[in-house]
Amino acid sequence: MMHLFRFEGGLTPLEGQPPEQWSGLLAVLSPAELETASYPKELTPPASQPDPHENRCCRLTADKSAITGRIRLPNRDKQPRRQLAFVWSGSNVLLIDGDGLGMACIDHILKMRPHHADGADNFLADLFLTLIRDDLTEIQQMENRLTRLEQEVLEDQVGHFLHQMSVLRKELNRCDCFYAQLDDFAAALREEAGDLFDTVSAARLDYFQRKVDTLQGETERLRDYASQISSEYQAQVDIMQNRVMKLLTIVTTIFLPLSLMAGWYGMNFSGMPELSWTYGYPAVIIAAVAIAVALVIYFKKKHWF
């Protein structure tokens, strides 16, 4: 179902059928309604080209009749990927909302204090700001996940570290790519349609771009933090391996004299006086135990284990 709004000091919902003459209107449609709904021809979005690599989060197209944009939010943790597109022509905007993201943003904009929102330019500035309004909180949540992961590394609880770190790094890479493209999107919009923004909307668009830069900086900081945690994890693994190798070396050192004694008396030379001595066998046992105990005491004093 098409949702209609008029730009009048904000957004005013309209009821009933679309007017014959469109002026200062916002229409929200799903992709399935584009072929059946009635709207001005200049608001018709261009045919979308398939992206085999799906690495384009933001895209802006400007021609003589309209400005078309598409923004695809990156999926984070268990949150599904969401996207919307818009066509801006004259004083009218067509918003293509396939998963409810557009209407959710509009509901938030309706609760905002109007910033002379009497036109499409002001609405789009508010829309862009609304799209990233919770991003700093989500980045802080990712930082909390990294902090918990670092604590697990310090406590030698590294059973699922590689999987969790891989998931977090993928999220951070997607966010960094998204903010880089979103910054370029805002710059391209100012370049292509800077004359269509009034003073207030241009200032809010500048604020949006600064906020995107801040979010990208925070994302890059978390990427560095993740690399630091990975280094700590590798250091912990190396320490654990060194402990194992140290223990094996100590055990080998303790049993080396005993192996020498076993090899020595295993040669069965008939002329060895110990073989004919009544207490020869117990003496060898006592000597072997004494050597092992002496080595253990020595290693204890050296704090080798």
Side-chain angles (χ1 to χ4, degrees), residues 34-305:
L34 288 175
E35 297 181 358
T36 59
S38 175
Y39 53 86
K41 183 179 179 181
E42 59 270 15
L43 291 178
T44 303
S48 59
Q49 299 295 328
D51 189 354
H53 303 290
E54 295 187 354
N55 58 352
R56 291 289 300 273
C57 300
C58 307
R59 180 176 297 172
L60 183 73
T61 304
D63 55 31
K64 295 181 179 180
S65 60
I67 296 173
T68 304
R70 189 194 70 178
I71 299 177
R72 183 173 60 195
L73 303 184
N75 54 324
R76 299 186 180 93
D77 200 9
K78 298 181 181 179
Q79 186 182 78
R81 178 176 293 177
R82 298 171 298 167
Q83 63 180 353
L84 57 80
F86 68 89
V87 182
W88 177 17
S89 178
S91 62
N92 302 310
V93 176
L94 175 65
L95 194 64
I96 306 167
D97 181 19
D99 47 24
L101 175 62
M103 285 304 301
C105 291
I106 289 175
D107 290 340
H108 180 78
I109 292 174
L110 290 172
K111 299 175 184 177
M112 293 170 56
R113 183 180 69 85
H115 299 273
H116 302 281
D118 55 354
D121 54 338
N122 293 279
F123 164 74
L124 289 176
D126 285 343
L127 176 66
F128 299 150
L129 286 168
T130 303
L131 284 174
I132 60 173
R133 70 183 185 278
D134 297 326
D135 284 26
L136 187 58
T137 301
E138 294 176 355
I139 289 176
Q140 291 173 345
Q141 291 175 353
M142 285 192 284
E143 183 174 9
N144 292 336
R145 291 162 59 192
L146 284 171
T147 302
R148 289 194 298 268
L149 199 56
E150 182 183 28
Q151 187 63 33
E152 292 176 0
V153 169
L154 296 177
E155 295 174 356
D156 287 341
Q157 301 175 3
V158 294
H160 303 285
F161 174 83
L162 292 178
H163 173 72
Q164 296 178 19
M165 179 56 72
S166 176
V167 172
L168 276 167
R169 279 188 165 176
K170 288 179 181 178
E171 291 182 30
L172 289 171
N173 288 337
R174 285 194 294 264
C175 289
D176 186 65
C177 179
F178 170 68
Y179 293 130
Q181 294 188 23
L182 195 60
D183 183 70
D184 182 70
F185 176 90
L189 187 60
R190 287 300 306 269
E191 178 66 25
E192 298 291 343
D195 58 318
L196 301 179
F197 287 86
D198 61 19
T199 304
V200 174
S201 58
R204 291 183 62 75
L205 189 60
D206 290 340
Y207 170 64
F208 165 75
Q209 194 166 6
R210 291 194 302 270
K211 192 171 182 179
V212 170
D213 291 338
T214 300
L215 293 171
Q216 187 178 10
E218 287 295 304
T219 304
E220 292 177 352
R221 181 180 64 83
L222 290 189
R223 292 177 67 187
D224 294 338
Y225 185 27
S227 298
Q228 177 183 345
I229 296 175
S230 297
S231 299
E232 293 176 0
Y233 166 76
Q234 187 60 48
Q236 287 292 101
V237 171
D238 292 341
I239 291 174
M240 294 172 62
Q241 290 178 346
N242 290 337
R243 288 174 180 171
V244 173
M245 294 302 298
K246 184 178 180 180
L247 179 60
L248 292 176
T249 302
I250 291 174
V251 172
T252 302
T253 305
I254 291 174
F255 281 94
L256 186 60
L258 307 182
S259 300
L260 176 61
M261 294 177 63
W264 190 353
Y265 286 100
M267 293 186 293
N268 295 324
F269 289 157
S270 58
M272 297 178 70
E274 295 90 344
L275 299 178
S276 58
W277 184 34
T278 303
Y279 300 103
Y281 185 64
V284 171
I285 295 176
I286 293 173
V289 173
I291 292 173
V293 172
L295 288 174
V296 169
I297 293 174
Y298 176 77
F299 291 144
K300 282 282 189 180
K301 287 185 176 181
K302 293 293 185 179
H303 301 287
W304 289 0
F305 68 92

